[in-house]
Amino acid sequence: MSDILLSIENLETCFRTPEGTIHAVNGVSMKLEPGETLGIVGESGCGKSVTMLSILGLIPNPPGKVVAGKALYRGQDLLKMKDSEIRHVRCSEIGMVFQDPLTYFNPVLTIGRQVSEPLEVHRSLSHKEALDQTVEMLELVGIPRPKERLNDYPHQFSGGMRQRVMIAMALICSPQILIADEPTTALDVTIQAQIVELVKSLRDRLGMSIIWITHDLSLIAGLAQRMAVMYGGFVIEEAPVEDMYAAPQHPYTLGLLGSLPRLDDVQGRKLVSIEGLPPVLFKKPTSCPFAERCNFRIERCNLENPSLRLVDKCHRVACWVNPETRRENQ
Amino acid sequence: MKVVLKLLKNPTSLIGIVLLLTYVIVAILAPAIAPVPQNSRDPYMIPRDGFKTAPGLPSAKHFLGTTEGQYDIFYGIIWGTRTAFRVGIIVTILTLILGLVIGSLAGFYGHWIDELLMRITEIFLAFPFLLAAITLTSVLQAIYGKISAGPLMILTKLLALITFAQGFDQALNPIQMSILTGMMAIIAFGWMTYARVIRSNILSVKEVEYSLAARMVGANDMRILFRHLMPNAVFPVLVMASMDIGSYVLTFAALSFLGLGAQRGYADWGQMISFARNWIPSLAENWHIVVFPGMAIVLFVLAWNLVGDALRDILDPRMRGRGAGL
Ligand SMILES: Nc1ncnc2c1ncn2[C@@H]1O[C@H](COP(=O)(O)OP(=O)(O)OP(=O)(O)O)[C@@H](O)[C@H]1O
Ligand SMILES: [Mg+2]
């Protein structure tokens, strides 16, 4: 029990819109151990961000609502917490970094004030102590001349620097978990690599657990120990990173990895793309959400939604198709 | 800084700034420009030179002449500057705060809070401003004859504390009372536009990403509203308010003219003009009793309007970027 830091169980979140109810998350379960890095991948709109915002109570209500599930952080259910309790969890226990660091900073407040705000909210420090810690943190994430930059505004930073500042802000209260929601998507490739390196070194220094959300499978390889693949509001496959790359099981994961160029590609191997579009979830799926686009589809896929089953040590897949058939067709 | 320099080069805004500065200096130096007579109890009561009814023309002794009942016009105008600033600024600030609080709560919380507050706003907007202010002032003055405690009294004492720096335990005299009721009436019917504008501005920023980021930091509602959203939403309202200072002073002058705001003999421009009511047929000879206090009001309002214009130019983000090309 105690070696699980965060455990999400059967989380379901809906959005009520004029066009109908969108079932964005449909029973997601995942676990995070202390010091572990979990990667989450999946197409746009599959519910990655909504899952994370749900457990932190940040889903705007209305239109959104967490309708079922648990999110146990150290045995306490985050979803049942009072507003003042969950507010204390944010940033001081679980920090979060967002995708586009420009829009997530307030344009009229200086970087210094924004980075030190978590301290102001959660810790009773003197102004000077808070300022010292802020400078220290900015230095740690690699901002040159941090003291002089405290009074600068967000637009005076470059994209990569802004993301560093946002990481500093998320980590300033030394949380146990850092949730990074596509923190590198808006950046160019070299800067992406720098940010990943930075997070790795911070992880080694501060020892927090990380949930890293991304579209970019190649980023996860060097960073995470375990990864989960999401599709249509479900986790459809979960495994240690090596297993996932060596022996992907779910047809969707196969497709994802197949659409990725690899260093050891045999010449002439074609990059394949997955046909079709992700589903819009106006009703809770009763069949496998991926069935429509799946090349291995069998009768049962249209009738029943598979749940996650253990296929190998620590490797879990939600698919009806016989693993043998999948391997042959590959 | 560039923009400010440009504004100083712009003749209209320069006139506004110079005018306003002149008024400020006059207000500060009032005791030196128009010395308070030895036997005076309250410097804001205009000294009288006898009790003759007919107004006196400008002379060596009375620069700008005297009004009906021999009140010195020069003294009244100089000390009236202080009244104008005091009433104008305090009324504006309180109206602004009232409007900001109501409008931002409505915009931030939405739902039934929004519905309720905005319907109330519309009810208040349905009254013609001046008529509503006149009516409320007279009603309040009638009520104050009868009460000595209660929430209304506490409000009034608070306003007295701000306006006259008068302690909570001291009783209010009738002179102060009539000024305070006038101010309260203006505040009560002045906040609605601010509330509407700030509401729509808050609505447009409350869904943006940085307010989510502020929630993520663990900030509570009030912190998000006042620290994160307000600075992004408040400037247009501040500009509106700065332009309105003049019109609040004008409204207060109208109340005084009708005998509702400042009492007879108090150094207030509107009140001074009210002395002219009985002399309308002979205004050709006694022009000075209207022209001088009237000029003081007109120029004061003009100054605030010009400065408000200038402020808008400074605070308008579209102008900020292209300082040089202004
Ligand atoms: N505020 C909202 N109102 C209505 N629907 C929403 C809202 N937020 C999210 N959704 C819906 O929830 C679904 C999942 O969205 P989510 O943001 O979690 O996707 P994601 O996996 O993070 O995608 P991306 O990779 O693009 O960030 C989407 O279909 C989206 O339409
Ligand atoms: Mg997302």
Side-chain angles (χ1 to χ4, degrees):
Chain A
M1 143 92 230
S2 61
D3 59 342
I4 299 291
L5 191 58
L6 176 72
S7 152
I8 302 174
E9 292 168 18
N10 295 316
L11 185 75
E12 287 182 38
T13 303
C14 297
F15 290 94
R16 238 172 274 131
T17 65
E19 294 84 49
T21 307
I22 298 177
H23 297 262
V25 175
N26 295 308
V28 163
S29 302
M30 53 180 79
K31 288 185 165 52
L32 187 70
E33 286 166 23
E36 181 187 43
T37 301
L38 172 69
I40 297 180
V41 292
E43 280 169 314
S44 208
C46 69
K48 305 181 298 286
S49 306
V50 171
T51 306
M52 295 307 143
L53 295 178
S54 298
I55 65 171
L56 288 166
L58 291 173
I59 293 289
N61 179 10
K65 190 162 199 295
V66 179
V67 287
K70 283 185 190 165
L72 300 174
Y73 173 75
R74 301 187 146 171
Q76 273 185 303
D77 193 349
L78 298 177
L79 302 179
K80 292 219 177 65
M81 281 188 175
K82 280 193 302 231
D83 193 50
S84 57
E85 293 171 321
I86 188 82
R87 245 191 284 125
H88 181 75
V89 169
R90 294 180 198 148
C91 230
S92 77
E93 301 290 337
I94 303 180
M96 187 153 173
V97 178
F98 299 97
Q99 177 172 349
D100 181 355
L102 183 54
T103 54
Y104 282 96
F105 277 116
N106 192 333
V108 303
L109 297 180
T110 62
I111 285 297
R113 283 181 69 177
Q114 293 190 64
V115 174
S116 62
E117 184 158 21
L119 290 177
E120 238 176 90
V121 173
H122 297 293
R123 310 267 186 270
S124 42
L125 294 179
S126 73
H127 183 67
K128 184 167 180 317
E129 283 170 318
L131 216 61
D132 287 346
Q133 277 198 31
T134 307
V135 171
E136 202 177 305
M137 199 65 220
L138 286 176
E139 195 154 22
L140 197 64
V141 297
I143 303 288
R145 300 178 290 110
K147 218 174 203 141
E148 294 157 45
R149 306 224 59 178
L150 283 180
N151 293 322
D152 285 354
Y153 288 88
H155 69 269
Q156 291 167 298
F157 287 74
S158 71
M161 283 298 153
R162 267 199 295 268
Q163 197 54 279
R164 283 168 192 265
V165 174
M166 179 149 272
I167 292 173
M169 188 165 128
L171 292 180
I172 197 156
C173 288
S174 24
Q176 296 295 312
I177 302 178
L178 174 69
I179 298 176
D181 190 354
E182 308 184 32
T184 59
T185 310
L187 306 174
D188 73 54
V189 184
T190 38
I191 308 292
Q192 282 186 9
Q194 287 178 11
I195 296 290
V196 172
E197 282 312 311
L198 171 69
V199 171
K200 271 194 210 168
S201 73
L202 288 173
R203 179 183 61 190
D204 296 341
R205 255 182 100 140
L206 308 171
M208 72 277 186
S209 307
I210 299 176
I211 297 179
W212 186 280
I213 299 175
T214 182
H215 295 150
D216 190 346
L217 286 159
S218 55
L219 273 185
I220 286 197
L223 185 69
Q225 283 102 42
R226 220 151 41 82
M227 73 187 257
V229 182
M230 283 186 68
Y231 187 85
F234 295 94
V235 175
I236 52 150
E237 184 163 7
E238 193 201 334
V241 172
E242 302 82 41
D243 295 6
M244 189 76 94
Y245 279 86
Q249 297 276 339
H250 196 283
Y252 176 66
T253 321
L254 284 173
L256 270 188
L257 292 170
S259 60
L260 207 68
R262 295 169 72 125
L263 217 50
D264 56 352
D265 268 352
V266 265
Q267 219 175 11
R269 185 183 84 104
K270 270 176 85 179
L271 296 180
V272 286
S273 63
I274 308 175
E275 296 288 322
L277 289 172
V280 182
L281 300 155
F282 277 123
K283 60 182 190 342
K284 213 174 152 184
T286 48
S287 60
C288 171
F290 188 59
E292 272 172 45
R293 301 165 73 186
C294 185
N295 294 332
F296 306 93
R297 184 177 50 216
I298 55 172
E299 198 71 17
R300 198 173 181 189
C301 303
N302 290 326
L303 300 173
E304 256 182 286
N305 189 2
S307 55
L308 277 178
R309 280 173 307 150
L310 214 57
V311 291
D312 196 1
K313 193 165 75 70
C314 310
H315 195 147
R316 299 192 303 160
V317 183
C319 184
W320 294 125
V321 185
N322 191 337
E324 296 303 321
T325 348
R326 281 187 306 231
R327 221 159 288 147
E328 278 162 29
N329 279 10
Q330 202 174 356
Chain B
M1 227 29 238
K2 234 185 218 167
V3 183
V4 176
L5 282 181
K6 283 273 172 192
L7 284 174
L8 287 178
K9 283 189 193 143
N10 176 348
T12 43
S13 49
L14 185 64
I15 292 175
I17 291 165
V18 168
L19 260 179
L20 196 60
L21 278 179
T22 315
Y23 275 110
V24 171
I25 293 169
V26 168
I28 293 171
L29 298 181
I33 302 173
V36 184
Q38 296 278 307
N39 56 357
S40 158
R41 282 223 219 109
D42 180 351
Y44 285 95
M45 294 313 287
I46 306 172
R48 303 177 76 167
D49 186 10
F51 297 89
K52 202 158 58 95
T53 324
L57 281 173
S59 63
K61 198 170 165 207
H62 302 289
F63 267 128
L64 304 178
T66 54
T67 63
E68 172 189 280
Q70 306 310 310
Y71 292 97
D72 183 38
I73 294 181
F74 179 74
Y75 187 96
I77 287 181
I78 299 296
W79 283 82
T81 316
R82 287 191 167 192
T83 310
F85 272 113
R86 186 183 271 179
V87 170
I89 289 175
I90 291 177
V91 165
T92 309
I93 290 178
L94 294 182
T95 315
L96 186 64
I97 291 176
L98 189 62
L100 288 182
V101 168
I102 291 179
S104 59
L105 289 180
F108 187 68
Y109 285 108
H111 307 305
W112 63 269
I113 297 184
D114 188 23
E115 285 295 322
L116 179 72
L117 292 177
M118 283 301 111
R119 292 303 86 77
I120 293 176
T121 309
E122 275 155 21
I123 292 172
F124 273 79
L125 269 174
F127 296 102
F129 177 51
L130 189 57
L131 281 183
I134 291 170
T135 315
L136 185 58
T137 314
S138 20
V139 169
L140 282 176
Q141 288 179 4
I143 292 177
Y144 279 122
K146 299 187 187 103
I147 59 161
S148 55
L152 199 59
M153 203 59 188
I154 296 177
L155 267 182
T156 321
K157 288 252 166 128
L158 265 178
L159 192 60
L161 183 69
I162 303 170
T163 315
F164 302 111
Q166 164 151 319
F168 232 73
D169 42 338
Q170 279 166 275
L172 296 168
N173 63 40
I175 297 174
Q176 294 172 329
M177 199 60 127
S178 63
I179 292 177
L180 293 178
T181 48
M183 290 169 70
M184 284 165 85
I186 298 176
I187 294 170
F189 285 98
W191 54 271
M192 292 83 72
T193 351
Y194 307 143
R196 284 190 154 187
V197 174
I198 195 73
R199 170 182 172 269
S200 69
N201 288 353
I202 290 283
L203 276 181
S204 74
V205 293
K206 85 167 174 183
E207 298 294 352
V208 296
E209 283 86 351
Y210 56 75
S211 84
L212 178 69
R215 270 188 204 291
M216 185 56 229
V217 157
N220 58 20
D221 285 353
M222 286 304 117
R223 192 181 178 91
I224 292 172
L225 178 54
F226 288 107
R227 175 150 181 189
H228 289 269
L229 302 186
M230 210 52 128
N232 284 288
V234 81
F235 284 107
V237 189
L238 292 186
V239 172
M240 282 171 61
S242 72
M243 291 203 171
D244 285 346
I245 297 181
S247 71
Y248 292 137
V249 171
L250 205 56
T251 310
F252 190 76
L255 290 179
S256 298
F257 178 78
L258 296 172
L260 289 168
Q263 286 205 344
R264 191 179 165 82
Y266 195 82
D268 172 87
W269 300 331
Q271 186 278 138
M272 291 170 72
I273 296 181
S274 75
F275 282 124
R277 270 189 304 200
N278 296 335
W279 302 88
I280 293 172
S282 60
L283 271 188
E285 301 98 71
N286 294 316
W287 53 275
H288 62 281
I289 56 177
V290 176
V291 169
F292 293 127
M295 286 264 285
I297 297 179
V298 169
L299 291 179
F300 191 80
V301 174
L302 180 71
W304 278 109
N305 272 338
L306 294 177
V307 169
D309 261 339
L311 258 180
R312 185 190 57 205
D313 293 350
I314 295 174
L315 296 175
D316 188 340
R318 277 165 303 183
M319 309 276 264
R320 257 191 227 162
R322 55 185 170 100
L326 202 92

